[in-house]
Amino acid sequence: MAQNGTIENGLARNACPPPLPQPVKIPEIKHTKIFINNEWHTSIKGKKFPTINPATGVKICDVEEADKADVDEAVRAARAAGQRGSEWRLMDASSRGRLLHRLADLLERERAVLATLESMDTGKPFLHAFFVDLDGSIKTLRYYAGWTDKIHGKTMPVDENFVCFTKHEPVGVCGAIIPWNFPLLMFMWKIAPALACGNTVVIKPAEQTPLTALHVGAIIKEAGFPPGVVNIVPGFGPTAGAAIASHMNIDKVAFTGSTEVRKLWEKAQQNRVPQSLKKKKYKDEDTDELQSAVEETQKGAFFNQGQACTAASRIYVEEPVYDEFVRLSVERAKNIVIGDPLEPRTSHGPQIDQHQFDKILELVDSGKKEGAMLECGGCAVEDRGLFIHPTIFSDVKDHMRIAKEEIFGPVQCIMKFKTQEEVINRANSSHYGLTAAVFTRDIHRAMSVSAAMEAGTVWVNCYNALHAQAPFGGYKMSGNGREL
C-alpha cells in the first residue's frame, strides 16, 4: 500500500503520471549540408534553398541544394562502400545488427531534439512527433537490427549427385526518395531494411522537410557506419530526385509520394517503385461502441492534419446509425485543439506549405459547390497562416471530387449505405487501395468485408495500427511492391 493509494501493476493507482516531454530549445541548426561519405559538403553548383516553419511562416535556415552532380558523387561513394572487399561488405551480419541497434540508441538519446526539429519543419504537434514518429523510427531500426543474421537461403534436392543451395546477397546501391508528411519515419522505413541486408543508400528527403534527415546523418556517422553506406542529398524532385530515379549505377529505387510525381517517376525507371497513396473505410450498424468508431475514424482523418497516405477521408456509415455518427463526429471535431505545434496541448497544427493549403481549400470549395453538406470547419483559421479547421462533410456522393480525389488535408467525408454488397462495390471503385478499415462486432461480417476490400492493409475495429514487423503497401494506384 502506498500513502496515496494502492499498488496496481507495480504503480501507485493514484500516483501522479510522469511529466510530459518538452521541446528542446535549439539555438542553431547544426546540419544543413549534403552528407556524402560521412562528410558534409556544399552543393557543387553553390545553391541553397530555405526551409520554412509552416506554423509561423518564418525561415528556419538555408540548406545546401543537391543537384545531379551531387547525386553522382553520392552514388560513387555508395558504390565504393558496397564493393566486395570493403569494410561494409566484409562486416559480419551480427555486426550490422549491432550498428542498427546503436543507431536506435542514439535516436533515443536525441529523441527530444529530433521531435523538436520535426515539429518545427512539418508543423505537426511536438507530442505527436515524440510519441508517434520517434517511437516508430526507433522500433523500425530495432526490428531490422534483429533480422541481419536471419536472412537465410535454401538447400534444394536436385537430380544426380549435386548439392544445390541459394544465397541472398545485397542488391547494391539503393536510391530512396521520401515525402514531407513523416520525414524521419519514412527515412527509417527506407534505410533500415536496406542496411539490414547489407546494401548502401542514397536518400533524398523532401525539400520541405530536410532537417531531421540531416541531423540523423551526424548520428549515423557517430554510430560507426562506414563512410558511404548512407548518403543524404537534400534537394528538389526535378533535379536531385530525377537524378536518383534515372541513375544507371543505382540498383534499386524506392519512392513514396503523390500520384502526379509517381507518373513522372515511372517514366524515368519502371517496375521498381514501392509507392503509397490512398485509403478507404467502412463502418456498419453492428458496431458495439459507436463513440469508439467515431474516435478511431477521426484519428485516421485528422492525424498529422490529414497529411497521411493512410488518411481516412471516406467513411461509409450504415443508414440506421448515420445521423448519430455524424453528430458525434462533429461534436468531437469541434473540440480538437489548434495551436502552436510546440505547445503540449496542441493536437492540430498547420499544413505543410501554401501550395498544400490552397489545394485543400479548393477541394473543400468544390464539395460545397457540388452539394455536400458542410457540418463543421471548411475554412482557414483566422490570422493563423497555414492552419485549417478540421472539416466534416455529410451527404457526400461518390461522384464528388472530395470523394474521388486525395485531399491530403483535415477533411472527413461521411457517406451513407444500405447493404454490405453495395458498400464493398462503392469502396472498391476507387483508383486507390492502400488501407481500409471495418468497424463491426460481427466477426463473420468483419472477415467477409475485409477479405473483399481491394486494399493492402485492412484494419478491424481500429485505425492506423502500423507496425515495424508488418509489410506496408497497396493495390492499384497505391503502389508497386511493399515497404518493410
Side-chain angles (χ1 to χ4, degrees):
M1 174 76 75
Q3 278 190 327
N4 61 345
T6 59
I7 298 295
E8 198 170 270
N9 295 329
L11 294 174
R13 183 186 295 167
N14 298 325
C16 294
L20 289 172
Q22 297 295 318
V24 174
K25 185 175 182 180
I26 300 177
E28 62 175 339
I29 307 299
K30 295 180 180 179
H31 306 296
T32 61
K33 295 184 177 181
I34 300 165
F35 185 72
I36 299 174
N37 235 11
N38 279 6
E39 296 176 345
W40 299 102
H41 299 262
T42 56
S43 166
I44 290 174
K45 288 190 174 180
K47 297 167 74 174
K48 296 183 179 182
F49 65 94
T51 183
I52 307 297
N53 183 332
T56 63
V58 175
K59 182 175 78 172
I60 302 170
C61 62
D62 288 315
V63 175
E64 295 289 331
E65 181 184 335
D67 208 325
K68 181 180 183 302
D70 303 286
V71 171
D72 286 343
E73 288 296 319
V75 173
R76 274 192 284 272
R79 188 152 292 282
Q83 283 183 341
R84 294 185 185 279
S86 68
E87 179 184 359
W88 182 240
R89 284 297 294 269
L90 291 174
M91 185 180 295
D92 58 61
S94 58
S95 293
R96 289 204 307 272
R98 283 193 291 272
L99 283 180
L100 287 168
H101 274 303
R102 172 64 175 152
L103 183 56
D105 292 340
L106 293 175
L107 255 66
E108 293 271 19
R109 185 194 72 188
E110 299 284 297
R111 188 167 184 160
V113 173
L114 286 164
T116 303
L117 284 173
E118 200 80 319
S119 182
M120 291 168 57
D121 220 10
T122 66
K124 68 176 61 190
F126 168 79
L127 291 180
H128 289 186
F130 189 92
F131 286 115
V132 177
D133 300 55
L134 266 297
D135 192 61
S137 298
I138 292 163
K139 284 181 176 178
T140 298
L141 286 171
R142 296 207 186 283
Y143 176 74
Y144 283 98
W147 262 110
T148 57
D149 57 0
K150 300 171 186 67
I151 301 168
H152 303 148
K154 297 179 180 179
T155 59
M156 294 160 287
V158 294
D159 293 345
E160 302 181 25
N161 190 26
F162 292 97
V163 174
C164 181
F165 66 91
T166 62
K167 180 176 181 286
H168 290 291
E169 295 187 337
V171 171
V173 178
C174 297
I177 295 179
I178 55 176
W180 47 255
N181 54 342
F182 292 91
L184 184 62
L185 184 59
M186 291 293 102
F187 187 97
M188 296 307 166
W189 276 27
K190 293 291 189 281
I191 73 163
L195 298 181
C197 296
N199 297 290
T200 59
V201 179
V202 176
I203 186 166
K204 188 194 89 66
E207 61 268 23
Q208 298 93 336
T209 54
L211 296 184
T212 47
L214 294 173
H215 192 88
V216 169
I219 299 175
I220 285 169
K221 181 177 180 179
E222 183 182 349
F225 284 87
V229 171
V230 178
N231 305 274
I232 305 165
V233 286
F236 292 84
T239 50
I244 290 174
S246 59
H247 208 291
M248 295 305 294
N249 283 322
I250 289 179
D251 302 294
K252 182 176 175 62
V253 289
F255 157 72
T256 302
S258 68
T259 313
E260 294 79 7
V261 177
R262 173 204 175 140
K263 291 174 183 176
L264 297 173
W265 177 270
E266 288 181 328
K267 289 181 181 178
Q269 58 82 50
Q270 296 181 355
N271 302 322
R272 302 189 297 177
V273 192
Q275 185 250 10
S276 58
L277 285 170
K278 217 173 182 182
K279 56 272 166 183
K280 301 187 290 289
K281 182 175 288 286
Y282 160 79
K283 144 131 201 6
D284 76 39
E285 71 170 321
D286 289 334
T287 303
D288 200 14
E289 296 289 345
L290 195 63
Q291 185 67 51
S292 175
V294 167
E295 291 174 6
E296 288 294 318
T297 55
Q298 288 207 346
K299 286 179 190 176
F302 299 141
F303 177 70
N304 207 44
Q305 296 73 248
Q307 299 171 145
C309 54
T310 62
S313 57
R314 296 192 296 152
I315 318 293
Y316 295 91
V317 182
E318 204 161 19
E319 276 190 348
V321 292
Y322 182 84
D323 291 340
E324 179 66 3
F325 186 90
V326 171
R327 185 190 70 78
L328 291 172
S329 297
V330 172
E331 183 180 279
R332 182 176 174 82
K334 288 181 176 179
N335 289 322
I336 292 174
V337 179
I338 303 171
D340 181 351
L342 296 178
E343 286 292 329
R345 289 184 65 252
T346 297
S347 59
H348 191 85
Q351 308 311 129
I352 187 67
D353 58 21
Q354 190 69 47
H355 173 78
Q356 189 66 18
F357 176 87
D358 293 341
K359 175 192 170 187
I360 295 164
L361 291 183
E362 192 269 328
L363 279 165
V364 167
D365 286 342
S366 79
K368 299 174 187 176
K369 291 173 183 175
E370 290 183 325
M373 176 67 69
L374 180 65
E375 298 284 352
C376 66
C379 60
V381 178
E382 291 184 9
D383 303 321
R384 291 302 294 267
L386 300 176
F387 291 77
I388 295 176
H389 284 287
T391 298
I392 295 177
F393 282 103
S394 65
D395 294 330
V396 178
K397 302 297 185 286
D398 292 357
H399 70 272
M400 295 178 180
R401 287 182 62 198
I402 55 174
K404 295 194 300 182
E405 297 182 26
E406 185 174 41
I407 301 169
F408 225 66
V411 180
Q412 188 178 39
C413 302
I414 307 178
M415 295 174 273
K416 190 183 298 183
F417 77 91
K418 292 182 179 180
T419 69
Q420 179 172 310
E421 182 179 4
E422 170 210 342
V423 75
I424 289 171
N425 290 333
R426 289 171 64 193
N428 284 340
S429 68
S430 172
H431 293 300
Y432 305 108
L434 184 61
T435 62
V438 183
F439 286 82
T440 177
R441 65 186 176 190
D442 183 335
I443 186 63
H444 298 293
R445 204 170 190 187
M447 296 309 294
S448 63
V449 174
S450 60
M453 288 289 93
E454 294 172 1
T457 298
V458 182
W459 293 296
V460 175
N461 293 338
C462 62
Y463 206 84
N464 272 343
L466 296 167
H467 303 283
Q469 298 88 346
F472 181 77
Y475 282 50
K476 297 179 281 194
M477 290 297 290
S478 289
N480 303 329
R482 291 291 183 269
E483 298 276 15
L484 303 178

